[in-house]
Amino acid sequence: MTTDTLERAAIDTIRFLSVDMVQQANSGHPGLPLGAAPIAYVLWTKFLKHHPENPRWIDRDRFVLSAGHGSALLYSLLHLTGYDLSLDDLRQFRQWASKTPGHPERGHTPGVETTTGPLGQGMANVVGMAMAEAQLAARYNRAGHTVVDHYTYAIVSDGDLMEGVASEAASLAGHLKLGKLICLYDDNRVTLAAGTDITFTEDRAARFKAYGWHVQALADGNDTAAVARAIRRARRRKDRPSLILARTHIGYGSPLQDTCKAHGSPLGAGNVAATKKRLGWPVEPPFLVPEDVLARFREAVAKGRRAESTWQRRWDGYAKAYPALASELRHAFDGTLPPGWDADVPVFPADAKGLATRVAAGKVLSAIAPKLPAISGGSADLDPSTHTAMAGLGVFSPGNEPDGRSVAGEIWSYAGRNLHFGVREHAMGAIANGMAAHGGFIPYTATFMVFSDYMRPPMRLAALMGLRVIHVFTHDSIAVGEDGPTHQPVEQLAGLRSVPGLNVIRPGDANETAVAWQVAIETADRPTAIILSRQNVPTLDRNVFASAGGLRRGAYVLLDAPGGAPELILIGTGAETDLVVQAVQKLQAEGIRARAVSMPCWELFAAQDHAYRESVLPPGVRRRLAIEAGVRQGWERWVGDEGAGIGVDRYGASAPGETVLARYGFTVDNVVARAKALLA
Amino acid sequence: MTTDTLERAAIDTIRFLSVDMVQQANSGHPGLPLGAAPIAYVLWTKFLKHHPENPRWIDRDRFVLSAGHGSALLYSLLHLTGYDLSLDDLRQFRQWASKTPGHPERGHTPGVETTTGPLGQGMANVVGMAMAEAQLAARYNRAGHTVVDHYTYAIVSDGDLMEGVASEAASLAGHLKLGKLICLYDDNRVTLAAGTDITFTEDRAARFKAYGWHVQALADGNDTAAVARAIRRARRRKDRPSLILARTHIGYGSPLQDTCKAHGSPLGAGNVAATKKRLGWPVEPPFLVPEDVLARFREAVAKGRRAESTWQRRWDGYAKAYPALASELRHAFDGTLPPGWDADVPVFPADAKGLATRVAAGKVLSAIAPKLPAISGGSADLDPSTHTAMAGLGVFSPGNEPDGRSVAGEIWSYAGRNLHFGVREHAMGAIANGMAAHGGFIPYTATFMVFSDYMRPPMRLAALMGLRVIHVFTHDSIAVGEDGPTHQPVEQLAGLRSVPGLNVIRPGDANETAVAWQVAIETADRPTAIILSRQNVPTLDRNVFASAGGLRRGAYVLLDAPGGAPELILIGTGAETDLVVQAVQKLQAEGIRARAVSMPCWELFAAQDHAYRESVLPPGVRRRLAIEAGVRQGWERWVGDEGAGIGVDRYGASAPGETVLARYGFTVDNVVARAKALLA
């Protein structure tokens, strides 16, 4: 074959592998692969730096198919370029336990960088990946020793660009001048339900220019030379992220081309045959991969081997010249914690006045961050309230230092570890996922608890992927006070606890907060939400009460009944732990054998063995009262049929926090009264 | 005073009432009112069509302070222009049970159109309000009889424009050419934590132009003449929504001007005094309203009276000429249902094969919509899957009819009742809130259940406001199948049930689905989520099983144990109801006295009296098994200590739906086995 013929055959191989996969599964999305195969082909064969035999090589280019419904395209590319994904795997598309699920899943299929499908997420993930690359490059590369230097690519769709999360992320990417981020926009003008003409007629190029992006528009996405030129130009443009609008045609070549019918359903056998005929492809057999096409794609393996070994030599030189930095970076990518990372975690002395757990958490973070270089994060415009700025660690920025009114004394550069997300909670969550998926980071985010609602989709994806992302949520109850019900979380704790694979920790005082941060960092296989109070809570005297280390087991006996045979158990979380302690002390003073249990994390407690759980909540003690300033949903599990809860099953109110708490029954007297009523 | 002096005094009155409120409460946001008072003054005194004595006049202009943290500004305006909000109310700012909560709350304070505070929501609400106005005007106005004709205004902030939900809504507003929507952007370049220079340097004017908006930028937001000219131009531009960027100064006049310190904390007594001095305002007394200033503002009352009575005359003429239309519109605004609205609700015959509840719901909606003119809604690009298009009722559109490939036979105009939101779930929710808050509508939204995560913030606000918004969520479990875990909801049911004031109904078959829609429509004081299956479920034979009307009570006995004294209760919701029915029949055949309970709505059941609840779940019957394809969180409440649940406490998997269900234990055999184990 001539080069051109081979190229055409290679592109059609991608197309028809994808189409055959969908047809075989009788489920899936053939339209995107048919249309986007040429741009994917150009990117993967002419530009993408990767090593199919080592999908975890740290300096690979990152590629994300943000339009995850086009998964068949990605699986075709992975198979063809030599990843551990066989033709048989492709034949098992969308089947039980296959390596080719309906949407790409990180951790499930080699070469899949992040789980996509929910639109907009992948586009925001790549912003996080490009931020990760820029920060690591600035922090670790040294003159003559470039060990971090890769691009981040994405294929994005109309649906991605319509989603708000993508807008937020794109605006931030433009602000940050992420020049090594290149998004190929599969501009096919058709969505699942219709043409974009019925909802999406904005000038997308102008919008991205307004964000500060470098924008190119290609009239013909099938023109591979033009696609290659555009990618080359995008790569040269180092001070702006790039969007390449490639005009493609959904369901290209099929009788359903340019219609939404090609989007999300198999073409049907007849249309598959017609498409193959129209594009000059053998109708049979399915899953056809011509040998010379395979050879062409598989060049990626040798090329990848060379690229990684070239890099490896650079790495070896670097490790010799800068052993400490190299070790740091290795730890960061391995996800291991350097020795002594927690040496400076403060122990807070007993203090009746105490401090807000958000403040305690800030102190803990500040103590850990200097010793744990992987930590990087920030808030959605709420640092002064969330206490999540890390002093002295710089602000991640393209160098456009502000006038210093707001944040003094920090160095503003890509080497900065403090991130400013702006008022963009949703992108913050998705960017954190991108950083974690990139590797080299334990990212954290921060906002008010009530605004966790804005970022549920990426939180779910982090849990599904098992990414170590830490979410700090402060202002965690009606105790927020004057800001009123719009700012007072009520149902958010229950909502977060419902997410499988997410640890939700609501520490009860400063020392529990310290342990919470430690557990979050040590838990490498899942995300953690740390839920913190706005208001002060007493720091318990751990000579009187059990050690805060009990948090590691999710729940523990804080103060037992005299003699240890309780007739009543009071259970609290977060700031309400103090109410439990006070009430139990009062009850004990009256001769009632009450036990105080602190239960900062349901998930950790549920994971303990039976014996431990029964030691904290003995089955024989049925009178149990839970006190938590949130909806009671789910507490039945812990208090049982004869137990009760003091909760908030309605919205909050605007008034000073103490007033709201009192009006809603969060007083020692009410807790004592309710406890006694349980015994009666 | 001269006009100019009076104007200046009027503006300063707004400023210092607001500042004094914040200072008195020792809590709040003084910065926005100080900066935005001039633009608010111009809008409210020179343009806003409203009637302070009748805040519910249907043809008033709508005004929304999207930057709800500036509530003091809005309360000052409401008091000054003569709403039922006294100076004493202002003095009670942010206090328990006051009419002046921390953020504006609809239903709580006269003149507050929508609850704001969570950023971006108000900006999307006004898009919904402008859509509502455009649709009602097109449907109800007649030549010579204009009864719907008002503008929708908003004051929006940096934070609003950074939020993705605002981007989504703005893009749609531009597409829809909503010419009577005018947003005044309080362009003060400072957010809570910093200057916008650290995160938000996009070209905002260019971005909105790209969306298709008419954009004007004012160099000086204190130049009231320029503000007035800009608003006049915006009003004249009928084919595009307008954004007016008014360069303002946060904390104007105060020592903290142009810093984030002026954003969210009281200025402090010293700074209040300094600010008053600098602007030439008496330091004492606080809450000063000069008489001539008050008189100037209170002109709004007489003006409003005149405006409404002029409109009332038009309305009377209209009601005479078009009595049916007038009656329809009255019903729509009163929120009452016209007689016979439910006359055509289908009754589905028993059918073992059955149909998906999403399909049944589509038939129900199609039967109701023609008789209930207030219904308007649509999906986030998923009509073909959610079955929520209403045939023959037109598509809401500025008239730019597409080429008809996607939706044939519908009239495309502002009179259309089908809405196309694009892939913008978050804005969809907030727009629906705006339409409901505008009045005249029972809006509905639709998307896949898993993407309810994208729209939790507006769902919460609808519940907080008590707005009748109906959310249709289809593809409601792991039975989604091949699309895999990203598209299979697991925790969403629990998450939605946690929201106070939201009814969550998951009907078990076609006839329950019909009742679910009816209940949602009849429930005027809160939102409802209707949760529907992708897969077919049998239509139960209601001669054998109890009437689907039992759904109105949340849960009911579908099939009792022979003799009526059950030893075991199986409880199901949604598609799993069929499993319950089959298992109970099998158990009964084996001589086990099992009862089948259908429990489509926890909230409705919890609201029943004690006696009814005990008749369904008798306290003496402790062996209870709940079957629901979602996390089990919260089911303990209904099954108790001796009960159990078959649920999904982890993520789903990609495979055909039947396979996934079977692998996860959702088979009759497993249900029977688990039931027997409970008895053992």
Side-chain angles (χ1 to χ4, degrees):
Chain A
M1 291 193 200
T2 66
T3 310
D4 274 9
T5 323
L6 183 59
E7 176 174 290
R8 175 66 195 270
I11 291 169
D12 285 344
T13 302
I14 298 173
R15 284 186 168 124
F16 291 112
L17 275 182
S18 303
V19 163
D20 288 338
M21 288 166 70
V22 171
Q23 196 58 34
Q24 166 104 353
N26 194 27
S27 171
H29 301 72
L32 185 146
L34 281 171
I39 58 177
Y41 167 82
V42 172
L43 178 63
W44 276 62
T45 59
K46 297 188 197 308
F47 296 98
L48 197 69
K49 179 177 79 172
H50 63 138
H51 184 192
E53 290 179 338
N54 181 14
R56 307 201 56 174
W57 171 31
I58 69 172
D59 201 40
R60 70 191 181 278
D61 287 341
R62 302 307 194 268
F63 171 79
V64 169
L65 180 66
S66 184
H69 55 271
S71 57
L73 172 77
L74 180 56
Y75 299 143
S76 300
L77 291 163
L78 291 171
H79 166 70
L80 290 168
T81 55
Y83 285 79
D84 179 18
L85 197 69
S86 68
L87 260 189
D88 277 345
D89 289 325
L90 302 197
R91 288 197 181 91
Q92 289 299 307
F93 184 54
R94 293 185 159 229
Q95 302 309 303
W96 180 259
S98 81
K99 286 164 79 177
T100 46
H103 291 80
E105 294 180 33
R106 176 187 168 85
H108 195 89
T109 313
V112 171
E113 300 281 0
T114 180
T115 298
T116 53
L119 290 169
Q121 300 298 325
M123 173 119 197
N125 290 164
V126 290
V127 172
M129 291 175 182
M131 287 167 66
E133 195 269 350
Q135 188 184 139
L136 292 178
R139 286 169 57 188
Y140 291 101
N141 290 342
R142 290 291 179 272
H145 294 277
T146 299
V147 290
V148 180
D149 180 18
H150 69 78
Y151 285 90
T152 300
Y153 297 101
I155 291 182
V156 305
S157 65
D158 298 305
D160 287 307
L161 298 201
M162 275 191 264
E163 289 285 5
V165 62
S167 299
E168 292 175 13
S171 174
L172 187 60
H175 170 82
L176 292 172
K177 302 184 193 296
L178 300 174
K180 289 163 90 175
L181 170 62
I182 298 174
C183 293
L184 297 158
Y185 170 24
D186 178 36
D187 181 13
N188 65 29
R189 305 191 191 171
V190 174
T191 61
L192 183 145
T196 54
D197 51 352
I198 76 167
T199 53
F200 190 49
T201 50
E202 62 173 49
D203 183 338
R204 295 140 306 155
R207 173 178 144 210
F208 274 78
K209 278 181 200 157
Y211 291 145
W213 286 50
H214 173 238
V215 177
Q216 305 173 72
L218 305 180
D220 180 8
N222 281 321
D223 180 346
T224 53
V227 172
R229 279 194 302 275
I231 295 176
R232 261 193 295 275
R233 271 194 298 265
R235 287 161 55 103
R236 282 199 298 268
R237 189 67 202 245
K238 292 285 170 63
D239 63 339
R240 287 169 182 260
S242 273
L243 184 74
I244 300 171
L245 298 88
R247 177 68 174 106
T248 56
H249 295 274
I250 196 166
Y252 179 79
S254 84
L256 303 176
Q257 178 181 320
D258 292 323
T259 75
C260 62
K261 291 194 178 111
H263 174 92
S265 306
L267 296 175
N271 283 332
V272 169
T275 311
K276 288 181 176 175
K277 279 181 202 154
R278 187 173 309 175
L279 297 187
W281 196 253
V283 173
E284 294 290 341
F287 296 96
L288 172 65
V289 181
E291 263 178 48
D292 48 358
V293 164
L294 188 62
R296 172 78 186 82
F297 276 113
R298 288 284 160 93
E299 288 167 12
V301 174
K303 215 168 122 188
R305 230 177 264 153
R306 284 195 302 275
E308 184 170 349
S309 57
T310 305
W311 175 86
Q312 187 64 47
R313 282 193 297 278
R314 281 207 306 277
W315 175 266
D316 293 342
Y318 176 75
K320 213 165 158 186
Y322 302 97
L325 285 178
S327 159
E328 212 177 281
L329 193 53
R330 265 290 160 220
H331 269 299
F333 268 98
D334 292 347
T336 51
L337 304 172
W341 67 274
D342 54 356
D344 296 337
V345 171
V347 174
F348 297 89
D351 178 3
K353 182 170 169 280
L355 68 173
T357 53
R358 63 177 166 140
V359 176
K363 292 177 193 291
V364 174
L365 173 61
S366 290
I368 293 173
K371 301 215 158 180
L372 190 49
I375 288 199
S376 179
S379 80
D381 191 46
L382 286 172
D383 303 332
S385 301
T386 56
H387 289 258
T388 44
M390 302 176 291
L393 297 183
V395 177
F396 182 75
S397 148
N400 51 346
E401 190 158 347
D403 61 14
R405 268 196 313 266
S406 47
V407 186
E410 292 289 350
I411 291 167
W412 292 67
S413 78
Y414 280 142
R417 289 166 57 190
N418 285 287
L419 310 178
H420 286 293
F421 292 99
V423 189
R424 301 180 181 106
E425 299 84 4
H426 196 169
M428 173 169 71
I431 285 169
N433 288 357
M435 291 178 68
H438 178 278
F441 287 99
I442 302 173
Y444 70 88
T445 73
T447 185
F448 290 163
M449 173 78 163
V450 79
F451 301 136
S452 61
D453 278 0
Y454 276 73
M455 48 192 293
R456 279 183 73 89
M459 293 181 72
R460 176 177 215 260
L461 285 165
L464 179 57
M465 289 189 258
L467 293 177
R468 175 165 44 182
V469 174
I470 301 174
H471 300 291
V472 175
F473 295 123
T474 67
H475 295 62
D476 69 351
S477 78
I478 52 171
V480 161
E482 289 91 345
D483 273 343
T486 57
H487 285 55
Q488 293 170 3
V490 167
E491 73 278 27
Q492 280 68 21
L493 256 174
L496 293 174
R497 286 178 182 144
S498 72
V499 180
L502 171 69
N503 282 349
V504 181
I505 311 182
R506 186 169 184 244
D509 77 345
N511 287 307
E512 280 194 9
T513 303
V515 183
W517 252 113
Q518 287 168 283
V519 169
I521 287 168
E522 292 161 7
T523 307
D525 66 346
R526 60 181 60 201
T528 300
I530 304 178
I531 315 296
L532 302 167
S533 75
R534 176 189 184 217
Q535 78 273 29
N536 280 6
V537 295
T539 304
L540 295 177
D541 182 348
R542 297 291 168 168
N543 295 315
V544 176
F545 300 98
S547 159
L551 179 140
R552 293 180 175 278
R553 309 195 76 169
Y556 63 104
V557 179
L558 201 53
L559 180 68
D560 212 350
E567 57 191 314
L568 172 73
I569 301 175
L570 271 62
I571 313 170
T573 83
E576 289 78 67
T577 308
D578 174 48
L579 278 179
V580 164
V581 165
Q582 288 194 58
V584 162
Q585 288 175 327
K586 223 163 171 174
L587 289 161
Q588 289 186 358
E590 296 182 32
I592 295 169
R593 300 194 313 282
R595 165 184 285 191
V597 166
S598 173
M599 195 174 197
C601 182
W602 289 14
E603 295 80 15
L604 290 173
F605 186 60
Q608 301 306 309
D609 61 33
H610 196 68
Y612 179 76
R613 278 185 281 132
E614 296 213 331
S615 76
V616 178
L617 300 176
V621 187
R622 311 302 303 151
R623 313 299 164 84
R624 303 173 183 178
L625 181 64
I627 299 102
E628 183 176 79
V631 296
R632 287 176 300 174
Q633 180 179 310
W635 271 106
E636 298 87 354
R637 177 177 183 187
W638 309 115
V639 301
D641 290 355
E642 295 171 47
I646 299 178
V648 182
D649 291 316
R650 56 185 167 128
Y651 291 104
S654 172
E658 300 261 307
T659 305
V660 181
L661 282 172
R663 293 278 183 168
Y664 279 66
F666 292 87
T667 62
V668 176
D669 285 350
N670 188 46
V671 173
V672 167
R674 291 290 303 278
K676 287 182 180 171
L678 260 190
L679 283 178
Chain B
M1 292 193 198
T2 66
T3 310
D4 275 7
T5 324
L6 183 59
E7 176 174 290
R8 175 66 196 268
I11 291 168
D12 285 344
T13 303
I14 298 172
R15 284 186 169 124
F16 290 112
L17 275 183
S18 303
V19 163
D20 287 338
M21 286 166 72
V22 172
Q23 196 56 36
Q24 166 103 354
N26 195 27
S27 171
H29 300 72
L32 184 146
L34 280 171
I39 59 177
Y41 167 82
V42 172
L43 178 63
W44 277 62
T45 59
K46 297 189 198 308
F47 296 98
L48 197 70
K49 180 177 79 172
H50 63 139
H51 184 190
E53 289 179 341
N54 180 15
R56 308 204 53 175
W57 170 32
I58 69 172
D59 201 41
R60 69 191 181 277
D61 287 341
R62 302 307 193 268
F63 171 80
V64 169
L65 180 67
S66 185
H69 55 270
S71 57
L73 172 77
L74 180 55
Y75 299 142
S76 299
L77 290 164
L78 291 170
H79 166 70
L80 291 169
T81 56
Y83 285 78
D84 180 18
L85 196 70
S86 68
L87 260 187
D88 276 345
D89 289 324
L90 302 197
R91 288 196 182 91
Q92 289 299 308
F93 184 55
R94 293 183 157 228
Q95 302 309 303
W96 179 260
S98 81
K99 287 164 79 178
T100 47
H103 291 80
E105 295 180 33
R106 176 188 168 84
H108 195 89
T109 313
V112 172
E113 300 281 0
T114 182
T115 298
T116 54
L119 289 170
Q121 299 298 326
M123 173 117 197
N125 290 164
V126 291
V127 173
M129 291 175 181
M131 286 169 66
E133 195 269 349
Q135 188 184 139
L136 293 178
R139 286 170 58 189
Y140 291 100
N141 289 342
R142 290 294 178 270
H145 294 278
T146 300
V147 291
V148 180
D149 180 19
H150 70 78
Y151 285 89
T152 299
Y153 298 100
I155 290 180
V156 305
S157 65
D158 298 305
D160 287 307
L161 297 200
M162 275 191 264
E163 290 284 5
V165 61
S167 300
E168 293 176 10
S171 174
L172 187 59
H175 169 82
L176 292 172
K177 302 183 191 298
L178 300 173
K180 289 161 89 175
L181 170 62
I182 299 172
C183 293
L184 298 157
Y185 170 23
D186 178 36
D187 181 13
N188 65 33
R189 304 189 192 174
V190 175
T191 62
L192 184 144
T196 54
D197 51 351
I198 75 165
T199 53
F200 190 49
T201 51
E202 62 173 49
D203 182 339
R204 296 142 304 155
R207 172 177 146 212
F208 274 78
K209 278 181 199 157
Y211 291 145
W213 286 50
H214 173 238
V215 177
Q216 305 173 71
L218 306 180
D220 179 8
N222 280 321
D223 180 346
T224 53
V227 171
R229 277 194 304 274
I231 296 176
R232 261 193 296 274
R233 271 195 297 266
R235 287 162 54 102
R236 281 198 300 267
R237 188 68 201 245
K238 292 286 168 64
D239 64 338
R240 287 170 182 260
S242 274
L243 184 74
I244 300 170
L245 297 88
R247 178 69 174 104
T248 57
H249 297 273
I250 198 166
Y252 179 80
S254 83
L256 303 175
Q257 179 179 322
D258 292 322
T259 75
C260 61
K261 292 198 178 107
H263 174 93
S265 307
L267 296 176
N271 283 332
V272 169
T275 311
K276 289 180 175 177
K277 277 181 202 149
R278 187 173 313 174
L279 297 187
W281 196 253
V283 173
E284 293 290 340
F287 296 95
L288 172 64
V289 181
E291 260 180 52
D292 46 359
V293 164
L294 187 62
R296 172 77 186 81
F297 276 112
R298 288 284 161 95
E299 287 166 13
V301 175
K303 216 169 119 189
R305 229 178 263 154
R306 282 195 303 274
E308 184 170 350
S309 57
T310 305
W311 174 85
Q312 187 63 48
R313 279 192 298 276
R314 279 206 306 277
W315 174 265
D316 294 343
Y318 175 76
K320 214 166 160 186
Y322 302 98
L325 286 178
S327 160
E328 214 177 278
L329 193 54
R330 264 291 160 220
H331 269 299
F333 268 98
D334 291 348
T336 51
L337 304 172
W341 68 273
D342 55 356
D344 295 337
V345 171
V347 175
F348 296 89
D351 177 3
K353 182 170 169 280
L355 67 174
T357 54
R358 64 176 165 140
V359 176
K363 292 178 193 290
V364 173
L365 173 60
S366 290
I368 292 173
K371 302 212 158 182
L372 190 49
I375 288 198
S376 179
S379 80
D381 191 45
L382 287 172
D383 302 332
S385 300
T386 56
H387 288 258
T388 43
M390 303 175 291
L393 297 183
V395 178
F396 182 75
S397 150
N400 51 345
E401 190 158 347
D403 61 15
R405 268 194 313 266
S406 49
V407 185
E410 291 288 350
I411 292 168
W412 292 68
S413 77
Y414 280 143
R417 289 165 57 189
N418 284 288
L419 309 178
H420 286 294
F421 292 100
V423 190
R424 302 181 181 105
E425 298 83 4
H426 197 168
M428 174 169 71
I431 285 169
N433 287 356
M435 291 178 68
H438 178 277
F441 287 99
I442 302 173
Y444 70 88
T445 73
T447 186
F448 290 164
M449 174 77 162
V450 79
F451 301 135
S452 61
D453 279 1
Y454 277 73
M455 48 194 289
R456 280 183 72 91
M459 293 181 71
R460 176 178 217 260
L461 286 166
L464 180 56
M465 289 189 257
L467 293 177
R468 175 165 46 182
V469 173
I470 300 174
H471 299 292
V472 175
F473 294 123
T474 68
H475 295 62
D476 69 351
S477 78
I478 52 171
V480 161
E482 289 90 344
D483 273 344
T486 56
H487 284 56
Q488 293 171 2
V490 166
E491 74 278 26
Q492 281 68 21
L493 257 173
L496 293 175
R497 286 178 182 141
S498 73
V499 180
L502 172 68
N503 281 349
V504 181
I505 311 182
R506 187 171 183 243
D509 78 344
N511 287 306
E512 279 194 8
T513 303
V515 182
W517 253 112
Q518 287 169 284
V519 169
I521 287 168
E522 292 161 6
T523 307
D525 65 346
R526 62 179 62 198
T528 299
I530 305 178
I531 315 297
L532 301 167
S533 76
R534 177 189 183 218
Q535 79 273 32
N536 280 5
V537 295
T539 305
L540 295 178
D541 182 349
R542 297 291 169 169
N543 295 313
V544 176
F545 301 96
S547 160
L551 178 143
R552 292 180 175 279
R553 309 192 77 167
Y556 63 105
V557 179
L558 202 51
L559 180 68
D560 211 350
E567 59 191 311
L568 173 72
I569 301 175
L570 270 64
I571 313 171
T573 81
E576 289 78 69
T577 308
D578 175 45
L579 278 179
V580 164
V581 164
Q582 289 192 57
V584 162
Q585 288 174 330
K586 223 163 171 173
L587 290 162
Q588 288 186 358
E590 296 182 34
I592 294 168
R593 298 193 316 281
R595 164 184 284 190
V597 166
S598 172
M599 197 175 196
C601 181
W602 290 12
E603 296 80 14
L604 290 172
F605 187 60
Q608 302 304 310
D609 61 33
H610 195 68
Y612 179 76
R613 278 186 281 133
E614 296 213 332
S615 75
V616 177
L617 300 176
V621 187
R622 310 303 304 150
R623 312 299 162 84
R624 303 174 182 177
L625 181 64
I627 299 102
E628 184 176 78
V631 296
R632 287 178 299 176
Q633 179 179 310
W635 271 106
E636 299 88 354
R637 177 176 180 189
W638 308 114
V639 300
D641 290 354
E642 295 172 47
I646 299 178
V648 182
D649 291 316
R650 54 185 170 130
Y651 291 104
S654 173
E658 301 261 309
T659 306
V660 182
L661 283 172
R663 294 277 183 169
Y664 278 67
F666 291 88
T667 62
V668 176
D669 286 350
N670 187 48
V671 173
V672 167
R674 292 289 304 278
K676 287 180 181 172
L678 260 190
L679 283 178

